[in-house]
Amino acid sequence: MATAHDHKLHKGESLADAAQRAFERAGEQWTPMRAEIFAALSGAAKPASAYDLAETVSRSTGRRVAANSVYRILDVFVSANLARRVESANAYVVNAHPDCEHDCVFLICDSCGKVGHVDDDQLSGAVRKAAEKAGFSNLRPVIEVKGSCADCAEGDAA
């Protein structure tokens, strides 16, 4: 679980640089294909599936990229804390703070599909403690909250 740290959110080139550094610290190589997949994921407006990313990268590079290759890369990204998997959507989002370890609480809009997150170590810590008390180990809490984002809720109220 997370400890106190500087919680810096990255964007654009800063995000790509932070991701590459984190990836290399994890002992992985930052290949051109991995960079392309990361760029496509970080540019996605909503959680992206491996198929979405394969299509985006295929279009941008002019060569076919197979979804199964993207799945393998996404698995490595998740392991290295560069991406998070939104379980209910079977899709992925970029982690804008790859130097931080948190159990994310995803906020998923039922209307537009956007996903935000909050880092609430107290909430995820309570889930971890309850699971450990029940005899679970190697925990990876996944907490997803569905509802309406502020933009969609505002549009519904109008």
Side-chain angles (χ1 to χ4, degrees):
M1 187 164 38
T3 58
H5 61 276
D6 179 22
H7 190 78
K8 178 175 170 117
L9 293 176
H10 296 276
K11 292 182 180 177
E13 193 63 34
S14 170
L15 176 57
D17 290 343
Q20 182 174 354
R21 285 191 310 273
F23 205 57
E24 289 170 348
R25 273 194 312 274
E28 297 289 343
Q29 289 185 331
W30 190 253
T31 65
M33 179 54 68
R34 288 174 173 180
E36 288 280 349
I37 298 297
F38 188 81
L41 183 61
S42 64
K46 295 190 279 189
S49 71
Y51 292 94
D52 297 332
L53 296 170
E55 183 178 320
T56 299
V57 173
S58 292
R59 270 186 278 138
S60 70
T61 63
R63 65 179 199 273
R64 186 182 171 281
V65 175
N68 61 350
S69 297
V70 176
Y71 272 119
R72 285 192 294 274
I73 291 170
L74 289 169
D75 285 344
V76 176
F77 283 177
V78 169
S79 295
N81 200 37
L82 301 186
R84 302 291 178 125
R85 186 170 188 268
V86 181
E87 301 287 337
S88 64
N90 192 25
Y92 298 81
V93 294
V94 74
N95 181 3
H97 44 92
D99 293 323
C100 303
E101 292 281 340
H102 282 288
D103 298 319
C104 288
V105 177
F106 287 111
L107 308 172
I108 305 167
C109 182
D110 287 326
S111 298
C112 69
K114 287 183 186 172
V115 172
H117 82 277
V118 293
D119 296 319
D120 188 330
D121 292 337
Q122 187 174 3
L123 176 62
S124 62
V127 170
R128 282 179 175 277
K129 284 180 187 172
E132 287 169 354
K133 189 175 179 181
F136 275 67
S137 60
N138 297 325
L139 301 173
R140 186 182 54 87
V142 176
I143 304 170
E144 298 182 3
V145 179
K146 292 191 166 214
S148 293
C149 70
D151 292 338
C152 291
E154 187 177 288
D156 290 343

